Amino acid sequence: MSSRIFSIGGMNAAIRARRYLARVKIESEVIKIDQRYAQNGCQYGISFDDKDLYDVVRTLKMGAIPYHAYGDGDV
Amino acid sequence: MYETIYLDNAATSYPKPASVIAAMHSALESAYGNPSRGNHALSLSSAEAMCWVRESVADLIGLRDSRRIIFTQNATMALNMAIFGLIREPCHVLISDLEHNSVVRPIEELTNRIGIVYDTFKTEGDIEQNIRDAMRPDTRYIVSTLASNVSGRIIPLHVLSKIRRTYGVCVIADASQVIGHLQIDLASYPIDALCAPGHKGLFGYMGCGFLALGNETEPVPHLYGGSGSQSLSLAMPSEYPDRLEAGTLPFYAILSMGYGMAHIKEAGLRALAAKVETLTHSLCGDLAEMAGMQMICEGNLGIVSLRHVRWTPDQMSEYLNQNGIYTRSGLHCAPLAHRTYHTEKEGLVRISISSENTAAQIQRARDVIFHMTKAIK
Protein backbone atom coordinates (compact mmCIF):
# COMPACT_ATOMS: atom_id res chain seq x y z
CA MET A 1 0.00 0.00 0.00
CA SER A 2 1.25 3.50 -0.59
CA SER A 3 0.79 5.94 2.21
CA ARG A 4 0.52 9.67 2.65
CA ILE A 5 1.70 11.83 5.49
CA PHE A 6 0.10 15.01 6.72
CA SER A 7 1.95 17.18 9.16
CA ILE A 8 -0.50 18.38 11.81
CA GLY A 9 1.40 20.13 14.63
CA GLY A 10 2.08 19.01 18.19
CA MET A 11 1.33 15.48 19.35
CA ASN A 12 -1.91 16.62 20.97
CA ALA A 13 -3.09 17.94 17.62
CA ALA A 14 -1.95 14.86 15.71
CA ILE A 15 -3.70 12.48 18.09
CA ARG A 16 -6.83 14.57 17.97
CA ALA A 17 -6.72 14.37 14.17
CA ARG A 18 -6.25 10.59 14.28
CA ARG A 19 -9.18 10.19 16.65
CA TYR A 20 -11.30 12.48 14.52
CA LEU A 21 -10.61 10.37 11.44
CA ALA A 22 -11.24 7.15 13.37
CA ARG A 23 -14.76 8.35 14.14
CA VAL A 24 -15.54 8.21 10.43
CA LYS A 25 -13.73 4.87 10.11
CA ILE A 26 -10.58 6.23 8.48
CA GLU A 27 -7.50 4.51 9.79
CA SER A 28 -4.36 6.56 10.36
CA GLU A 29 -1.28 6.47 12.51
CA VAL A 30 0.43 9.24 14.47
CA ILE A 31 4.04 9.70 13.42
CA LYS A 32 6.83 12.09 14.27
CA ILE A 33 7.84 14.24 11.32
CA ASP A 34 11.48 13.78 10.38
CA GLN A 35 13.36 16.49 12.23
CA ARG A 36 15.06 17.63 9.03
CA TYR A 37 11.71 18.60 7.54
CA ALA A 38 9.86 19.69 10.66
CA GLN A 39 9.22 23.39 10.79
CA ASN A 40 10.23 24.99 14.06
CA GLY A 41 11.24 21.82 15.87
CA CYS A 42 9.30 18.77 17.08
CA GLN A 43 6.28 18.16 14.92
CA TYR A 44 3.82 15.31 14.52
CA GLY A 45 1.52 14.17 11.81
CA ILE A 46 -0.65 11.34 10.58
CA SER A 47 0.11 8.64 8.09
CA PHE A 48 -2.77 7.07 6.16
CA ASP A 49 -3.51 4.98 3.10
CA ASP A 50 -3.29 6.94 -0.13
CA LYS A 51 -6.73 5.68 -1.17
CA ASP A 52 -8.27 7.64 1.73
CA LEU A 53 -6.70 10.95 0.67
CA TYR A 54 -9.84 12.78 -0.33
CA ASP A 55 -11.86 11.50 2.64
CA VAL A 56 -9.06 12.56 4.96
CA VAL A 57 -8.89 16.03 3.44
CA ARG A 58 -12.66 16.45 3.58
CA THR A 59 -12.86 15.22 7.16
CA LEU A 60 -9.99 17.36 8.44
CA LYS A 61 -11.45 20.43 6.74
CA MET A 62 -14.84 19.66 8.28
CA GLY A 63 -13.22 19.45 11.68
CA ALA A 64 -11.25 22.68 11.12
CA ILE A 65 -8.07 20.70 11.76
CA PRO A 66 -5.11 22.39 10.04
CA TYR A 67 -2.74 20.12 8.11
CA HIS A 68 0.13 20.36 5.72
CA ALA A 69 0.83 17.73 3.10
CA TYR A 70 4.28 16.35 3.77
CA GLY A 71 6.50 15.71 0.79
CA ASP A 72 4.09 16.35 -2.08
CA GLY A 73 3.12 19.92 -1.35
CA ASP A 74 -0.31 21.11 -0.33
CA VAL A 75 -3.37 19.01 -1.07
CA MET B 1 -16.30 0.31 66.50
CA TYR B 2 -18.02 2.72 64.16
CA GLU B 3 -17.59 3.30 60.46
CA THR B 4 -15.85 6.56 59.62
CA ILE B 5 -17.96 8.87 57.50
CA TYR B 6 -16.40 11.35 55.13
CA LEU B 7 -18.50 14.49 54.69
CA ASP B 8 -15.96 16.93 53.27
CA ASN B 9 -16.61 16.32 49.59
CA ALA B 10 -16.60 20.03 48.74
CA ALA B 11 -12.86 19.95 49.56
CA THR B 12 -12.18 16.74 47.68
CA SER B 13 -14.44 13.77 47.04
CA TYR B 14 -13.83 10.54 48.93
CA PRO B 15 -14.16 7.67 48.43
CA LYS B 16 -13.81 7.62 44.70
CA PRO B 17 -16.29 5.35 42.87
CA ALA B 18 -15.24 1.69 42.72
CA SER B 19 -14.88 1.88 38.93
CA VAL B 20 -12.36 4.74 39.25
CA ILE B 21 -10.31 2.87 41.83
CA ALA B 22 -10.28 -0.32 39.72
CA ALA B 23 -9.31 1.57 36.56
CA MET B 24 -6.53 3.41 38.38
CA HIS B 25 -5.16 0.16 39.85
CA SER B 26 -4.92 -1.13 36.32
CA ALA B 27 -3.42 2.14 35.02
CA LEU B 28 -0.74 2.15 37.69
CA GLU B 29 0.28 -1.34 36.64
CA SER B 30 0.38 -0.35 32.97
CA ALA B 31 3.29 1.24 31.18
CA TYR B 32 2.93 4.90 30.31
CA GLY B 33 5.46 7.40 29.06
CA ASN B 34 5.41 11.16 29.24
CA PRO B 35 2.58 12.35 26.95
CA SER B 36 3.66 14.37 23.91
CA ARG B 37 7.33 13.76 24.60
CA GLY B 38 8.49 11.45 21.81
CA ASN B 39 6.97 9.07 19.33
CA HIS B 40 7.60 5.81 21.15
CA ALA B 41 4.63 3.62 21.99
CA LEU B 42 4.46 4.57 25.68
CA SER B 43 4.42 8.31 25.02
CA LEU B 44 1.81 7.82 22.32
CA SER B 45 -0.44 5.72 24.54
CA SER B 46 -0.36 8.28 27.35
CA ALA B 47 -0.99 11.13 24.88
CA GLU B 48 -3.95 9.13 23.54
CA ALA B 49 -5.25 8.79 27.10
CA MET B 50 -4.88 12.54 27.69
CA CYS B 51 -6.75 13.19 24.45
CA TRP B 52 -9.55 10.91 25.63
CA VAL B 53 -9.84 12.83 28.92
CA ARG B 54 -9.73 16.16 27.08
CA GLU B 55 -12.56 15.06 24.79
CA SER B 56 -14.53 13.76 27.77
CA VAL B 57 -14.26 17.15 29.51
CA ALA B 58 -15.29 18.98 26.34
CA ASP B 59 -18.23 16.62 25.93
CA LEU B 60 -19.30 17.06 29.56
CA ILE B 61 -19.41 20.88 29.41
CA GLY B 62 -20.59 21.35 25.83
CA LEU B 63 -17.35 22.76 24.43
CA ARG B 64 -17.03 21.96 20.74
CA ASP B 65 -13.24 22.27 20.45
CA SER B 66 -11.40 19.99 22.88
CA ARG B 67 -8.11 21.74 22.05
CA ARG B 68 -9.31 24.55 24.26
CA ILE B 69 -9.40 22.35 27.35
CA ILE B 70 -6.20 23.11 29.25
CA PHE B 71 -5.18 20.71 31.99
CA THR B 72 -4.07 22.23 35.28
CA GLN B 73 -3.22 20.96 38.73
CA ASN B 74 -6.40 22.33 40.29
CA ALA B 75 -9.09 25.00 39.90
CA THR B 76 -6.93 27.62 41.61
CA MET B 77 -4.24 27.22 38.97
CA ALA B 78 -6.87 27.45 36.23
CA LEU B 79 -8.29 30.62 37.80
CA ASN B 80 -4.82 32.15 38.09
CA MET B 81 -4.15 31.32 34.43
CA ALA B 82 -7.41 32.94 33.36
CA ILE B 83 -7.26 35.99 35.64
CA PHE B 84 -3.60 36.91 35.13
CA GLY B 85 -3.63 35.78 31.50
CA LEU B 86 -6.65 37.85 30.49
CA ILE B 87 -6.81 40.92 32.73
CA ARG B 88 -3.82 42.88 31.49
CA GLU B 89 -4.82 46.54 31.75
CA PRO B 90 -6.38 48.79 34.37
CA CYS B 91 -10.17 48.49 34.30
CA HIS B 92 -13.13 47.75 36.54
CA VAL B 93 -13.79 44.14 37.50
CA LEU B 94 -16.85 42.64 39.18
CA ILE B 95 -16.72 39.60 41.42
CA SER B 96 -19.53 38.01 43.40
CA ASP B 97 -19.96 38.42 47.14
CA LEU B 98 -19.36 34.66 47.56
CA GLU B 99 -15.88 34.32 46.10
CA HIS B 100 -13.26 31.93 47.32
CA ASN B 101 -9.72 33.22 47.89
CA SER B 102 -8.72 31.52 44.63
CA VAL B 103 -10.48 34.46 42.98
CA VAL B 104 -10.17 37.20 45.62
CA ARG B 105 -6.40 36.93 46.06
CA PRO B 106 -5.45 37.07 42.35
CA ILE B 107 -7.89 39.97 41.86
CA GLU B 108 -6.48 41.78 44.88
CA GLU B 109 -2.98 41.19 43.50
CA LEU B 110 -4.03 42.83 40.22
CA THR B 111 -5.07 45.96 42.10
CA ASN B 112 -1.44 46.24 43.22
CA ARG B 113 0.20 45.11 39.97
CA ILE B 114 -1.73 47.01 37.32
CA GLY B 115 -4.21 49.15 39.21
CA ILE B 116 -7.50 47.44 38.46
CA VAL B 117 -10.49 48.40 40.58
CA TYR B 118 -13.03 45.83 41.67
CA ASP B 119 -16.43 45.64 43.33
CA THR B 120 -18.63 42.81 44.45
CA PHE B 121 -22.16 42.16 43.25
CA LYS B 122 -24.80 40.74 45.56
CA THR B 123 -26.01 37.21 45.02
CA GLU B 124 -29.16 37.43 47.11
CA GLY B 125 -32.35 38.06 45.18
CA ASP B 126 -32.29 38.90 41.48
CA ILE B 127 -28.67 38.18 40.55
CA GLU B 128 -28.99 39.45 37.01
CA GLN B 129 -30.34 42.80 38.19
CA ASN B 130 -27.70 42.97 40.93
CA ILE B 131 -24.95 42.58 38.32
CA ARG B 132 -26.55 45.19 36.08
CA ASP B 133 -26.71 47.57 39.03
CA ALA B 134 -23.02 47.01 39.82
CA MET B 135 -21.80 47.48 36.23
CA ARG B 136 -19.80 50.61 35.40
CA PRO B 137 -18.93 51.98 31.96
CA ASP B 138 -15.37 50.70 32.42
CA THR B 139 -16.34 47.19 33.65
CA ARG B 140 -14.48 44.75 31.42
CA TYR B 141 -14.44 41.49 33.39
CA ILE B 142 -16.73 39.49 35.63
CA VAL B 143 -15.11 36.77 37.68
CA SER B 144 -17.66 34.68 39.51
CA THR B 145 -18.18 31.35 41.13
CA LEU B 146 -21.09 29.29 39.85
CA ALA B 147 -21.86 28.15 43.41
CA SER B 148 -20.67 29.05 46.87
CA ASN B 149 -18.47 26.52 48.64
CA VAL B 150 -20.00 27.71 51.94
CA SER B 151 -23.72 27.62 51.21
CA GLY B 152 -24.20 26.02 47.80
CA ARG B 153 -25.94 29.18 46.54
CA ILE B 154 -25.94 29.07 42.75
CA ILE B 155 -25.06 31.85 40.32
CA PRO B 156 -26.53 30.50 37.09
CA LEU B 157 -24.26 30.17 34.07
CA HIS B 158 -27.05 31.42 31.81
CA VAL B 159 -27.21 34.70 33.75
CA LEU B 160 -23.46 35.29 33.39
CA SER B 161 -23.61 34.36 29.70
CA LYS B 162 -26.50 36.79 29.14
CA ILE B 163 -24.63 39.61 30.87
CA ARG B 164 -21.57 38.83 28.74
CA ARG B 165 -23.64 39.02 25.56
CA THR B 166 -25.46 42.19 26.61
CA TYR B 167 -22.49 44.20 27.84
CA GLY B 168 -19.62 42.63 25.90
CA VAL B 169 -17.68 41.87 29.08
CA CYS B 170 -15.32 38.94 29.52
CA VAL B 171 -16.65 36.31 31.95
CA ILE B 172 -14.45 33.95 33.95
CA ALA B 173 -16.37 31.36 35.99
CA ASP B 174 -15.28 29.11 38.84
CA ALA B 175 -17.17 25.82 38.53
CA SER B 176 -15.50 24.13 41.51
CA GLN B 177 -18.71 23.27 43.34
CA VAL B 178 -20.98 22.58 40.37
CA ILE B 179 -18.83 20.47 38.06
CA GLY B 180 -20.22 16.92 38.14
CA HIS B 181 -23.34 18.15 39.97
CA LEU B 182 -25.07 20.47 37.51
CA GLN B 183 -25.18 20.26 33.75
CA ILE B 184 -22.86 22.89 32.25
CA ASP B 185 -23.63 23.74 28.65
CA LEU B 186 -21.15 26.19 27.17
CA ALA B 187 -22.59 25.64 23.69
CA SER B 188 -25.87 27.21 24.82
CA TYR B 189 -24.39 29.62 27.36
CA PRO B 190 -20.92 30.60 26.21
CA ILE B 191 -18.47 32.42 28.47
CA ASP B 192 -14.76 33.16 28.08
CA ALA B 193 -13.18 30.87 30.64
CA LEU B 194 -14.47 28.12 32.91
CA CYS B 195 -12.22 26.79 35.67
CA ALA B 196 -12.79 23.55 37.55
CA PRO B 197 -11.05 20.93 39.68
CA GLY B 198 -10.98 17.28 38.67
CA HIS B 199 -10.87 15.88 42.20
CA LYS B 200 -14.25 17.03 43.53
CA GLY B 201 -17.44 16.34 41.58
CA LEU B 202 -15.52 14.63 38.77
CA PHE B 203 -14.10 12.00 41.17
CA GLY B 204 -10.50 12.26 40.01
CA TYR B 205 -7.56 12.16 42.38
CA MET B 206 -6.07 15.34 43.81
CA GLY B 207 -3.70 17.17 41.48
CA CYS B 208 -5.90 17.77 38.45
CA GLY B 209 -8.20 20.41 37.09
CA PHE B 210 -8.85 22.26 33.87
CA LEU B 211 -9.37 25.59 32.22
CA ALA B 212 -11.90 25.64 29.38
CA LEU B 213 -11.48 28.55 26.99
CA GLY B 214 -13.98 30.14 24.64
CA ASN B 215 -13.16 30.18 20.94
CA GLU B 216 -11.80 33.70 20.95
CA THR B 217 -10.22 33.74 24.41
CA GLU B 218 -6.46 34.27 24.17
CA PRO B 219 -4.82 34.42 27.59
CA VAL B 220 -1.13 35.18 27.90
CA PRO B 221 0.59 31.96 29.08
CA HIS B 222 1.07 31.61 32.82
CA LEU B 223 3.85 29.02 32.54
CA TYR B 224 6.66 28.87 30.02
CA GLY B 225 8.67 25.79 29.15
CA GLY B 226 8.72 22.56 27.22
CA SER B 227 5.57 21.52 25.40
CA GLY B 228 6.91 18.78 23.15
CA SER B 229 6.11 20.86 20.08
CA GLN B 230 7.66 23.72 18.03
CA SER B 231 10.82 23.23 20.09
CA LEU B 232 12.99 25.53 17.99
CA SER B 233 10.78 28.49 18.83
CA LEU B 234 11.78 30.48 21.89
CA ALA B 235 8.13 31.43 22.38
CA MET B 236 5.35 29.13 23.53
CA PRO B 237 3.60 27.38 20.61
CA SER B 238 0.64 29.12 19.04
CA GLU B 239 -1.56 26.00 19.01
CA TYR B 240 -3.75 24.89 21.88
CA PRO B 241 -3.53 23.17 24.31
CA ASP B 242 0.28 23.20 23.93
CA ARG B 243 0.41 26.99 24.30
CA LEU B 244 -0.76 26.84 27.91
CA GLU B 245 0.54 23.42 29.03
CA ALA B 246 4.25 23.83 29.76
CA GLY B 247 6.03 21.02 31.56
CA THR B 248 4.99 17.50 32.45
CA LEU B 249 1.31 17.10 33.26
CA PRO B 250 -0.02 15.29 36.37
CA PHE B 251 -0.84 12.37 34.10
CA TYR B 252 -2.31 9.89 36.59
CA ALA B 253 -4.49 12.48 38.31
CA ILE B 254 -5.82 13.64 34.93
CA LEU B 255 -6.43 10.04 33.89
CA SER B 256 -8.42 9.45 37.09
CA MET B 257 -10.58 12.47 36.19
CA GLY B 258 -11.33 10.71 32.89
CA TYR B 259 -12.44 7.58 34.72
CA GLY B 260 -14.50 9.75 37.05
CA MET B 261 -16.31 11.29 34.09
CA ALA B 262 -16.89 7.81 32.66
CA HIS B 263 -18.55 6.91 35.97
CA ILE B 264 -20.76 10.01 35.76
CA LYS B 265 -21.73 9.19 32.19
CA GLU B 266 -22.55 5.60 33.14
CA ALA B 267 -24.56 6.48 36.25
CA GLY B 268 -26.09 9.65 34.80
CA LEU B 269 -25.32 13.12 36.09
CA ARG B 270 -28.96 13.77 36.95
CA ALA B 271 -29.29 10.49 38.86
CA LEU B 272 -26.17 11.23 40.92
CA ALA B 273 -27.36 14.78 41.60
CA ALA B 274 -30.78 13.49 42.64
CA LYS B 275 -29.16 11.13 45.15
CA VAL B 276 -27.16 13.99 46.68
CA GLU B 277 -30.31 16.10 46.82
CA THR B 278 -32.27 13.36 48.60
CA LEU B 279 -29.51 12.82 51.18
CA THR B 280 -29.19 16.58 51.71
CA HIS B 281 -32.92 17.06 52.23
CA SER B 282 -33.07 14.21 54.72
CA LEU B 283 -30.22 15.72 56.74
CA CYS B 284 -31.52 19.29 56.57
CA GLY B 285 -35.03 18.30 57.64
CA ASP B 286 -33.79 16.87 60.91
CA LEU B 287 -31.14 19.51 61.58
CA ALA B 288 -33.75 22.25 61.23
CA GLU B 289 -35.65 20.77 64.17
CA MET B 290 -32.66 20.65 66.52
CA ALA B 291 -32.77 23.34 69.18
CA GLY B 292 -30.11 26.05 68.88
CA MET B 293 -29.00 24.99 65.40
CA GLN B 294 -28.59 27.49 62.58
CA MET B 295 -28.24 26.05 59.11
CA ILE B 296 -27.35 27.46 55.70
CA CYS B 297 -28.13 25.21 52.76
CA GLU B 298 -28.97 26.48 49.29
CA GLY B 299 -28.71 25.08 45.81
CA ASN B 300 -29.09 21.32 46.45
CA LEU B 301 -25.39 20.66 45.90
CA GLY B 302 -24.95 18.69 49.12
CA ILE B 303 -23.45 21.62 51.05
CA VAL B 304 -24.91 22.18 54.51
CA SER B 305 -23.21 24.68 56.83
CA LEU B 306 -24.03 24.84 60.51
CA ARG B 307 -23.51 26.68 63.73
CA HIS B 308 -24.94 26.12 67.16
CA VAL B 309 -25.68 28.44 70.05
CA ARG B 310 -23.58 26.44 72.55
CA TRP B 311 -20.85 24.93 70.37
CA THR B 312 -18.35 26.85 68.29
CA PRO B 313 -17.87 25.50 64.75
CA ASP B 314 -14.39 24.25 65.66
CA GLN B 315 -15.76 22.44 68.71
CA MET B 316 -18.57 20.91 66.65
CA SER B 317 -16.21 19.72 63.95
CA GLU B 318 -13.86 18.22 66.54
CA TYR B 319 -16.76 16.46 68.28
CA LEU B 320 -17.78 14.97 64.96
CA ASN B 321 -14.17 14.08 64.18
CA GLN B 322 -13.90 12.16 67.47
CA ASN B 323 -16.98 10.25 66.39
CA GLY B 324 -15.45 9.38 63.03
CA ILE B 325 -17.35 12.00 61.02
CA TYR B 326 -15.15 14.26 58.91
CA THR B 327 -16.36 17.78 58.23
CA ARG B 328 -14.66 21.14 57.81
CA SER B 329 -14.95 24.08 60.19
CA GLY B 330 -13.72 27.65 59.79
CA LEU B 331 -13.90 30.08 56.90
CA HIS B 332 -13.42 27.59 54.03
CA CYS B 333 -10.98 30.00 52.29
CA ALA B 334 -14.04 32.12 51.47
CA PRO B 335 -14.04 35.17 53.76
CA LEU B 336 -16.23 37.13 51.35
CA ALA B 337 -18.94 34.48 51.55
CA HIS B 338 -18.75 34.40 55.33
CA ARG B 339 -19.10 38.19 55.41
CA THR B 340 -22.16 37.85 53.21
CA TYR B 341 -23.68 35.40 55.70
CA HIS B 342 -22.37 37.34 58.73
CA THR B 343 -20.43 34.32 59.92
CA GLU B 344 -16.88 35.64 59.48
CA LYS B 345 -16.15 35.80 63.21
CA GLU B 346 -16.32 32.09 64.07
CA GLY B 347 -17.04 30.54 60.70
CA LEU B 348 -19.28 27.52 60.22
CA VAL B 349 -19.09 23.74 60.17
CA ARG B 350 -19.53 22.58 56.61
CA ILE B 351 -20.97 19.17 55.82
CA SER B 352 -20.62 18.30 52.14
CA ILE B 353 -22.27 15.20 50.75
CA SER B 354 -21.40 13.15 47.67
CA SER B 355 -23.31 10.53 45.71
CA GLU B 356 -20.94 7.97 47.25
CA ASN B 357 -22.46 8.64 50.71
CA THR B 358 -25.29 6.41 51.90
CA ALA B 359 -28.56 7.07 53.69
CA ALA B 360 -27.22 5.09 56.67
CA GLN B 361 -24.19 7.37 56.90
CA ILE B 362 -26.35 10.48 56.84
CA GLN B 363 -28.60 8.94 59.50
CA ARG B 364 -25.61 8.32 61.76
CA ALA B 365 -24.22 11.82 61.19
CA ARG B 366 -27.60 13.24 62.11
CA ASP B 367 -27.74 11.09 65.28
CA VAL B 368 -24.26 12.17 66.36
CA ILE B 369 -25.09 15.84 65.80
CA PHE B 370 -28.29 15.38 67.79
CA HIS B 371 -26.35 13.83 70.70
CA MET B 372 -23.87 16.67 70.50
CA THR B 373 -26.62 19.26 70.93
CA LYS B 374 -27.71 17.44 74.09
CA ALA B 375 -24.22 16.80 75.42
CA ILE B 376 -22.47 18.85 78.08
CA LYS B 377 -19.24 20.34 76.74
Side-chain angles (χ1 to χ4, degrees), chain B residues 162-173:
Chain B
K162 186 177 174 187
I163 292 284
R164 172 183 180 265
R165 194 174 66 242
T166 307
Y167 291 91
V169 291
C170 172
V171 171
I172 300 168

Side-chain angles (χ1 to χ4, degrees), chain B residues 37 59 81 87 145 191 204 206 226 233 262 280 304 318 331 373:
Chain B
R37 301 297 193 274
D59 190 42
M81 288 168 73
I87 308 177
T145 184
I191 56 169
M206 285 180 276
S233 169
T280 307
V304 184
E318 181 52 27
L331 297 179
T373 64

Side-chain angles (χ1 to χ4, degrees), chain B residues 37-220:
Chain B
R37 301 297 193 274
N39 64 331
H40 58 79
L42 300 191
S43 177
L44 275 171
S45 61
S46 51
E48 280 274 356
M50 291 295 90
C51 193
W52 167 68
V53 181
R54 218 180 288 279
E55 288 171 357
S56 301
V57 174
D59 190 42
L60 180 74
I61 63 174
L63 193 73
R64 203 160 288 135
D65 188 349
S66 65
R67 288 173 292 196
R68 298 186 76 82
I69 299 292
I70 313 301
F71 290 134
T72 62
Q73 290 172 17
N74 45 51
T76 295
M77 184 176 169
L79 282 161
N80 271 259
M81 288 168 73
I83 291 169
F84 289 112
L86 291 169
I87 308 177
R88 310 284 296 167
E89 289 174 354
C91 62
H92 180 245
V93 177
L94 276 179
I95 65 174
S96 85
D97 63 4
L98 298 174
E99 292 312 308
H100 188 276
N101 275 341
S102 55
V103 165
V104 180
R105 286 177 173 167
I107 290 292
E108 187 66 31
E109 175 63 17
L110 282 179
T111 66
N112 300 324
R113 274 195 203 177
I114 59 170
I116 68 155
V117 176
Y118 74 95
D119 286 305
T120 57
F121 64 85
K122 291 189 190 311
T123 52
E124 192 170 18
D126 185 340
I127 295 175
E128 185 180 329
Q129 190 56 50
N130 295 345
I131 298 175
R132 288 177 189 275
D133 292 344
M135 292 287 285
R136 295 186 353 185
D138 60 340
T139 305
R140 297 282 176 273
Y141 297 88
I142 296 178
V143 188
S144 176
T145 184
L146 295 181
S148 166
N149 69 320
V150 173
S151 64
R153 179 181 291 173
I154 290 169
I155 299 168
L157 178 66
H158 68 83
V159 168
L160 296 174
S161 184
K162 186 177 174 187
I163 292 284
R164 172 183 180 265
R165 194 174 66 242
T166 307
Y167 291 91
V169 291
C170 172
V171 171
I172 300 168
D174 172 7
S176 292
Q177 299 302 332
V178 303
I179 192 81
H181 295 283
L182 296 181
Q183 189 66 58
I184 293 173
D185 184 3
L186 293 178
S188 301
Y189 306 112
I191 56 169
D192 300 279
L194 182 105
C195 308
H199 63 97
K200 295 183 181 181
L202 296 186
F203 298 117
Y205 287 112
M206 285 180 276
C208 63
F210 67 85
L211 164 63
L213 294 172
N215 281 339
E216 290 165 13
T217 314
E218 296 292 338
V220 170

Side-chain angles (χ1 to χ4, degrees), chain B residues 280-357:
Chain B
T280 307
H281 281 175
S282 100
L283 178 65
C284 288
D286 290 333
L287 290 174
E289 289 173 8
M290 292 183 195
M293 190 68 79
Q294 186 193 344
M295 182 178 64
I296 301 172
C297 177
E298 305 175 41
N300 291 325
L301 297 173
I303 295 174
V304 184
S305 288
L306 306 170
R307 66 178 171 185
H308 191 263
V309 289
R310 287 194 307 113
W311 294 75
T312 68
D314 288 335
Q315 287 170 338
M316 282 172 75
S317 191
E318 181 52 27
Y319 183 94
L320 293 170
N321 181 41
Q322 285 174 9
N323 283 276
I325 297 169
Y326 305 141
T327 62
R328 181 176 174 191
S329 64
L331 297 179
H332 312 95
C333 298
L336 270 190
H338 280 279
R339 263 178 227 138
T340 297
Y341 291 104
H342 308 293
T343 53
E344 72 271 33
K345 195 172 173 193
E346 288 191 336
L348 293 164
V349 177
R350 183 185 67 193
I351 291 170
S352 46
I353 298 166
S354 124
S355 54
E356 291 296 297
N357 286 123

Side-chain angles (χ1 to χ4, degrees), chain A residues 10-12 18-19 40 42, chain B residues 38 48 55 230-232 239:
Chain A
M11 189 188 276
N12 283 314
R18 190 201 66 73
R19 291 171 68 88
N40 228 355
C42 300
Chain B
E48 280 274 356
E55 288 171 357
Q230 297 182 25
S231 311
L232 283 176
E239 68 184 48

Side-chain angles (χ1 to χ4, degrees), chain B residues 5-26:
Chain B
I5 301 170
Y6 182 82
L7 294 173
D8 194 17
N9 290 283
T12 193
S13 56
Y14 175 83
K16 306 303 178 192
S19 61
V20 174
I21 297 168
M24 285 308 293
H25 272 300
S26 169

